[in-house]
Amino acid sequence: GTCGKIQQVVMFPVVVLRILGIFLSVLAAYIFSKIATCGYRLQDAHGAVPLSYWRRCLFSPVPYCARSILFFLGYNWIHVYQWQWKDPSRVPETREDWEAPTACCFTPRIRSPVTASNHVSAFDFLVTLAMLDPMFLASEFISHIPLIGPVAVAMQSLFVKRTNTEDRKRVVSNIVQRAKEIHQCKFNKTLLIFPEGTTSTQDNLTWFHNGAFYPGLPVTPVYIRYNFTSFSPAWVSSGPSAGMIFYQAMCQLHNSAEIHILPEYNPRGGERKDTKSFAQNFRKYMASPFELRLTGHSLIDALMLAKHPGYVSRHIHRHMSGSTVQKLLGLRNKSCLRLAQQFHQLDLDQNGTLNQEEFEKAMKTLGIRNANFGPLFQIFDNVGMMLLRMMIMMIV
C-alpha cells in the first residue's frame, strides 16, 4: 500500500548500507569457505568424504557470517524454542498432547542423522545455517552460484539435479550413506532436508517427498516461522520475486523469526521399509503442535503456477493438485506440465472446461484416435462440458 511505498523510499539510505554489509558478510563467508576447501574436490562433496579437522576449524566462522547477513536483513532476533511431549509413552497427535515450548538461550545440538524442515523463504538457508550449522540437500545449480557455491560445498551439501532421473537415484543412495555415517559419528553435523521440495506459506505443509526418510533412521522436525505484520517473506509463485523479498526485508525496521525444534521422530512398525508412510506420518507429527493445514500440493504445482498462474489457480487447483495427476497417470514433471499446458491451449474460451470439439482434439493430441468420442464424452459429462479431473479419470 501507500504506507509501504513511503517506507521503501524513506528507508532507501538504510537499505544501501545494509546491502554493503550483506556483501561484506557474503565475501567473508566465501573467503573462509574457499580456504577451507582448498584442494577439496566437488565430487568429494557429492560423495561422503568428511572435511578434516583443520578444514572444519577454518569453516567455523561461516555460520556467524550468515547471522550477520540476517542482521543486515533486519532479523535482529531469532528465537529458538524446544518442544516436549506431555506423555512420553505416546506420540502426540494434537496440540493438546504437547507441553508449552521452552525458549532456549543457546541452540540445542541436533543429534539425529537427518533433520527435516518446512520451506517458506529464501531466508531459510541463512536461518538454519546460522542457528543449526547443518549439511544440506540442495539443487545442483546452487554449487555453481558465484560466492554462494563454495559455501554450499564447504558445508558438505549433497546436490541433486531435479531433471535427471539417474542423478536422483544416486542422491538417494548418497542420502542413505550419509545418514548412516552421521549415525556412526563420522560426521559431526545433521543432514537438513526440506522434504516439501519447494517453498510455501508457513501456515501449511505441502506433500513430503521421501528423500529424508529412505535411511529409516530417526528424523528431527524443525519448524521455521517468520513473524510479520505487513511483509511476508514467503517465496511463492503468486508473490514477489526473491530479489523483491530481500529488498522489502531490508526496508523493515525490525524483522524476527523463530525456530521450533521438536523431539526426534523414530519410525514405528513398518515405516522403516515403507518410506511413504514414514514421510506422511512424520508430516502429521510435525504439523500437530502448530495446527498446520496439510495439503496434497508439491513441486509440480509450483511449476504449473509459474507457467499459467491465473488459469491454474482458478481452474485446476480448485479441483485437484498436480501431484494427484502425477500419481494417477505416473507422469514425470515435464509430462504433467505438458498435459496442463495442452489443456490450457485447447480450452479456447479459457473457462476451465472443454466442450466436445475441444475434447476430441485433446484425445487426438494424447494419441487416442480410433475411438467414438461422442459417447465417450457423454459417459463422463452430461452438460456439454468436461473438467480436467474428468479427463484424467477417463485416461486412467
Side-chain angles (χ1 to χ4, degrees):
T2 304
C3 292
K5 292 178 181 178
I6 293 173
Q7 184 183 29
Q8 290 180 12
V9 173
V10 172
M11 289 291 292
F12 183 75
V14 178
V15 170
V16 173
L17 294 176
R18 285 180 168 179
I19 290 174
L20 178 61
I22 290 172
F23 174 76
L24 293 176
S25 300
V26 171
L27 184 62
Y30 170 80
I31 292 172
F32 285 121
S33 299
K34 262 302 195 186
I35 296 174
T37 56
C38 182
Y40 187 77
R41 298 170 300 166
L42 182 61
Q43 54 266 34
D44 292 342
H46 280 262
V49 180
L51 286 177
S52 58
Y53 177 75
W54 70 270
R55 291 184 187 275
R56 294 199 303 271
C57 291
L58 289 172
F59 179 79
S60 59
V62 173
Y64 296 98
C65 296
R67 184 65 190 90
S68 67
I69 294 172
L70 288 167
F71 175 79
F72 289 119
L73 286 169
Y75 288 91
N76 303 323
W77 295 102
I78 298 177
H79 305 282
V80 180
Y81 296 95
Q82 198 164 21
W83 291 71
Q84 297 296 334
W85 304 354
K86 279 187 178 179
D87 183 357
S89 64
R90 188 170 63 89
V91 176
E93 296 181 356
T94 64
R95 176 66 180 86
E96 289 71 26
D97 296 331
W98 293 88
E99 297 279 2
T102 304
C104 302
C105 296
F106 300 97
T107 304
R109 183 176 178 182
I110 296 176
R111 300 189 179 277
S112 62
V114 181
T115 299
S117 171
N118 64 319
H119 200 6
V120 178
S121 173
F123 301 153
D124 296 347
F125 169 79
L126 293 169
V127 171
T128 50
L129 172 58
M131 307 307 292
L132 304 178
D133 188 20
M135 296 178 276
F136 285 92
L137 178 70
S139 296
E140 193 268 344
F141 79 90
I142 291 177
S143 64
H144 302 294
I145 298 177
L147 298 180
I148 303 300
V151 178
V153 172
M155 293 173 67
Q156 297 195 281
S157 302
L158 294 176
F159 301 101
V160 57
K161 296 179 182 178
R162 285 179 170 176
T163 57
N164 190 320
T165 304
E166 293 301 320
D167 191 76
R168 287 201 298 269
K169 292 179 180 177
R170 177 187 61 79
V171 169
V172 168
S173 174
N174 282 351
I175 290 173
V176 174
Q177 181 66 22
R178 180 67 60 89
K180 288 180 178 178
E181 291 180 335
I182 295 172
H183 192 60
Q184 296 166 359
C185 300
K186 292 183 179 179
F187 288 86
N188 65 338
K189 297 181 180 182
T190 184
L191 175 62
L192 190 142
I193 297 176
F194 299 107
E196 292 174 290
T198 186
T199 53
S200 64
T201 58
Q202 61 189 18
D203 298 324
N204 62 72
L205 290 177
T206 59
W207 190 260
F208 275 15
H209 296 275
N210 299 332
F213 310 97
Y214 279 115
L217 296 171
V219 181
T220 296
V222 168
Y223 176 67
I224 303 171
R225 184 196 297 274
Y226 296 93
N227 301 316
F228 62 91
T229 53
S230 59
F231 159 67
S232 170
W235 186 17
V236 293
S237 57
S238 58
S241 64
M244 182 54 69
I245 289 173
F246 272 83
Y247 180 75
Q248 289 179 344
M250 288 185 285
C251 289
Q252 309 302 311
L253 291 173
H254 171 69
N255 298 309
S256 68
E258 299 174 358
I259 290 184
H260 296 262
I261 303 174
L262 277 62
E264 66 180 19
Y265 181 93
N266 288 281
R268 299 166 292 165
E271 289 179 349
R272 292 185 186 275
K273 296 181 179 179
D274 187 354
T275 54
K276 289 184 179 180
S277 296
F278 188 2
Q280 300 317 313
N281 290 337
F282 176 88
R283 185 172 73 135
K284 294 175 184 176
Y285 170 76
M286 181 174 173
S288 60
F290 314 105
E291 299 181 329
L292 304 176
R293 186 168 64 98
L294 304 179
T295 77
H297 299 90
S298 63
L299 173 62
I300 185 61
D301 294 285
L303 296 175
M304 289 167 66
L305 280 168
K307 288 282 186 182
H308 309 287
Y311 186 86
V312 170
S313 60
R314 285 194 308 270
H315 301 306
I316 296 181
H317 283 171
R318 285 178 58 193
H319 306 290
M320 66 194 317
S321 65
S323 57
T324 303
V325 176
Q326 282 188 305
K327 291 170 196 154
L328 287 172
L329 300 181
L331 298 177
R332 301 198 182 280
N333 285 349
K334 285 186 178 179
S335 301
C336 195
L337 281 173
R338 187 164 61 248
L339 176 62
Q341 188 168 0
Q342 287 173 345
F343 190 88
H344 173 261
Q345 292 172 348
L346 291 165
D347 182 13
L348 301 178
D349 51 9
Q350 299 293 287
N351 66 348
T353 62
L354 301 183
N355 58 33
Q356 185 168 339
E357 182 182 354
E358 294 169 337
F359 169 74
E360 291 182 12
K361 290 182 180 178
M363 291 297 95
K364 291 175 181 177
T365 302
L366 291 169
I368 304 172
R369 301 183 183 278
N370 300 321
N372 191 346
F373 295 112
L376 191 60
F377 183 83
Q378 293 301 324
I379 289 173
F380 286 87
D381 197 85
N382 57 8
V383 294
M385 297 292 182
M386 176 172 285
L387 296 170
L388 175 63
R389 62 177 175 177
M390 296 174 181
M391 189 167 130
I392 296 298
M393 288 166 59
M394 190 204 62
I395 296 172
V396 172

